[in-house]
Amino acid sequence: MENMYFSEEHNLFRESLRDFLKKEVVPHIDKWEKTGSIERFIWKKFGDMGFLGISYPEQYGGMDLDIFYMVILLEELQKINSAGFAAAMWAHAYLAMTHLKAEGSDAIKDKYLTASITGDMIGCLCITEPFGGSDVAGMRSTAVKKGDSYVINGSKTFITNGVYSDYLVVAAKTNPDLGNKGISIFLIDRDTQGVSATKLDKLGWRASDTGEIAFDNVTIPASNLMGEENKGFAYIMQHFATERLIMGVNAHARAEFALDYTMQYMSERTAFGKTIDRFQALRHRLADHITEVEICKTFNYTIADRLGKGEYVVKEATMSKLKSTKVADEVIYDCLQFLGGYGYMEEYPLARLLRDSRLGPIGGGTSEILREIIAKMVIDGKDYKPATK
């Protein structure tokens, strides 16, 4: 399966990325996990290596590589055992920057996309609200047109990079009477008057900053509208396919990491005169988990291939996230159990893995919401359409 999608160039990229992460990132992870703040120098190093621009056009400093380079980046980020650090990177590169590329004007791309690729600017995507959660259409933030400006009021929550980013890609209602058909997308500079952020204290993803953001009469130029007015919900839905596939890939990668570590541990840990990987009850549970993860990975690669070819895969990406995050939680729960008391100790990787993995079925749309989306598409025949090509 891997040979179907990964060339020798892909494999060399994976090796260079793995070496970079081991040298430049891993030594700092424990500190960032404790402080909840990722130092700016590492963003610049990612930019210098081209890792933030692998999916973006060369005219903005990107590398314009195929989607499986993104898959490799996601997989390797999961295997340094800090989903928070990984989330900060991919939320910048594939949430905020995706909207810049798809809906940003030439001026916005020239300034913000270029600086995002080099690591000189960090972005965040602001959709979720305190009273809305997964209910995107129920957002209350508003953007009122006044002459050549928009005035934005409202709040967002659970925003990755929400505190330390340089700019915000924000969804707000330009026509509240139209419900989800009245949402638009805007770019707001962090230092704009009226923008404030509060850092949230999380169970997992400790290295990333997650913020609650308030907009108090924030006035921005009308040129900061991204795409067409009132088309924001369609843009969001289209890009959800990428986000959900990303979370599916993340899930199968961290599950693989957990299994690899656990199998190595079990091959060395002895009980009753033999290594514990010789006990049938444990072996067979491992076999089940290995099978489930391989199925998820194969499905995720197939959907990535289709997404990379431009297909509209909202349904399949939703399935990817739903299944893969569930499997990852089950795998990591059992892997911690296989380590016994050591699994519960912070100096072993499973404790952090368990906390970090638990966000999978919550963030980017809860599993309950994803099941309803799938049901609407499969049972009710709901046909979502792409907003942009």
Side-chain angles (χ1 to χ4, degrees):
M1 175 58 64
E2 293 189 7
N3 289 336
M4 291 175 59
Y5 301 116
F6 297 101
S7 65
E8 183 61 27
E9 288 77 14
H10 287 116
N11 295 331
L12 290 172
F13 174 79
R14 187 186 295 273
E15 290 176 12
S16 67
L17 172 60
R18 191 175 289 169
D19 290 343
F20 171 83
L21 293 174
K22 183 178 179 181
K23 177 183 177 183
E24 303 291 350
V25 178
V26 171
H28 305 285
I29 285 295
D30 287 343
K31 176 173 64 175
W32 296 337
E33 286 280 327
K34 290 177 181 177
T35 64
S37 174
I38 299 167
E39 293 164 284
R40 296 288 297 219
F41 75 84
I42 197 62
W43 296 89
K44 186 60 179 170
K45 286 190 175 183
F46 264 74
D48 290 343
M49 292 294 293
F51 297 143
L52 298 176
I54 58 177
S55 304
Y56 293 94
E58 293 181 8
Q59 71 184 95
Y60 302 109
M63 301 170 71
D64 202 19
L65 299 173
D66 68 66
I67 196 168
F68 283 96
Y69 286 92
M70 179 192 82
V71 170
I72 292 168
L73 177 67
L74 296 171
E75 288 180 331
E76 294 306 315
L77 281 172
Q78 289 298 309
K79 295 181 180 182
I80 61 174
N81 198 24
S82 175
F85 177 82
M89 293 295 157
W90 63 256
H92 167 64
Y94 294 105
L95 298 188
M97 287 171 60
T98 291
H99 281 273
L100 293 183
K101 175 189 174 186
E103 293 107 48
S105 64
D106 289 341
I108 285 175
K109 290 176 184 175
D110 286 340
K111 179 178 179 180
Y112 294 92
L113 185 56
T114 300
S116 296
I117 288 170
T118 60
D120 290 303
M121 296 184 79
I122 302 168
C124 68
L125 177 63
C126 305
I127 296 176
T128 304
E129 298 192 352
F131 300 100
S134 296
D135 181 11
V136 175
M139 70 173 57
R140 301 181 184 181
S141 296
T142 60
V144 178
K145 185 87 176 283
K146 292 188 177 181
D148 293 331
S149 301
Y150 283 94
V151 179
I152 298 177
N153 285 282
S155 61
K156 303 291 179 178
T157 196
F158 308 139
I159 307 304
T160 302
N161 297 335
V163 179
Y164 300 125
S165 55
D166 301 296
Y167 65 87
L168 307 89
V169 176
V170 179
K173 284 190 173 177
T174 37
N175 192 336
D177 294 336
L178 294 179
N180 66 13
K181 293 181 172 61
I183 295 172
S184 301
I185 305 291
F186 300 90
L187 187 142
I188 303 176
D189 283 306
R190 167 69 57 180
D191 58 4
T192 305
Q193 186 174 353
V195 178
S196 60
T198 302
K199 192 172 183 179
L200 300 174
D201 190 13
K202 310 184 298 291
L203 172 68
W205 283 25
R206 302 288 295 180
S208 65
D209 64 288
T210 302
E212 184 163 280
I213 303 171
F215 305 98
D216 182 11
N217 289 320
V218 174
T219 302
I220 59 172
S223 58
N224 281 27
L225 170 70
M226 301 221 299
E228 296 182 45
E229 192 173 79
N230 298 327
K231 292 289 185 70
F233 186 76
Y235 300 143
I236 292 166
M237 283 299 298
Q238 178 164 349
H239 301 323
F240 268 159
T242 301
E243 180 180 1
R244 289 168 183 164
L245 178 62
I246 283 171
M247 296 192 75
V249 171
N250 289 342
H252 84 234
R254 68 174 168 269
E256 275 195 322
F257 172 73
L259 286 168
D260 288 344
Y261 178 86
T262 301
M263 286 189 289
Q264 180 63 36
Y265 175 88
M266 292 172 68
S267 72
E268 299 169 354
R269 177 73 171 175
T270 59
F272 304 101
K274 57 183 178 182
T275 56
I276 62 175
D277 62 356
R278 299 292 95 193
F279 290 93
Q280 187 182 79
L282 305 185
R283 291 164 60 86
H284 287 189
R285 281 163 70 187
L286 276 173
D288 284 340
H289 288 320
I290 293 166
T291 301
E292 287 281 311
V293 172
E294 190 66 26
I295 290 170
C296 288
K297 182 168 73 168
T298 300
F299 180 75
N300 293 343
Y301 285 170
T302 301
I303 304 312
D305 186 50
R306 292 178 57 190
L307 181 63
K309 292 174 179 175
E311 294 186 36
Y312 191 59
V313 291
V314 166
K315 179 183 70 176
E316 294 83 355
T318 303
M319 293 173 172
S320 164
K321 180 183 182 300
L322 175 66
K323 182 63 175 178
S324 298
T325 57
K326 182 176 185 291
V327 167
D329 272 6
E330 293 169 349
V331 167
I332 292 166
Y333 185 94
D334 271 359
C335 284
L336 189 150
Q337 181 71 22
F338 294 155
L339 265 67
Y342 292 108
Y344 206 65
M345 299 296 108
E346 284 293 333
E347 61 263 38
Y348 288 75
L350 269 300
R352 183 187 298 165
L353 264 172
L354 185 72
R355 289 195 304 273
D356 286 353
S357 183
R358 190 61 190 86
L359 187 61
I362 299 172
T366 66
S367 293
E368 290 74 20
I369 293 295
L370 299 190
R371 291 185 183 98
E372 182 59 20
I373 291 170
I374 294 167
K376 283 181 177 179
M377 297 184 78
V378 176
I379 300 172
D380 301 338
K382 175 71 173 177
D383 186 20
Y384 296 104
K385 298 292 186 182
T388 58
K389 295 295 183 181

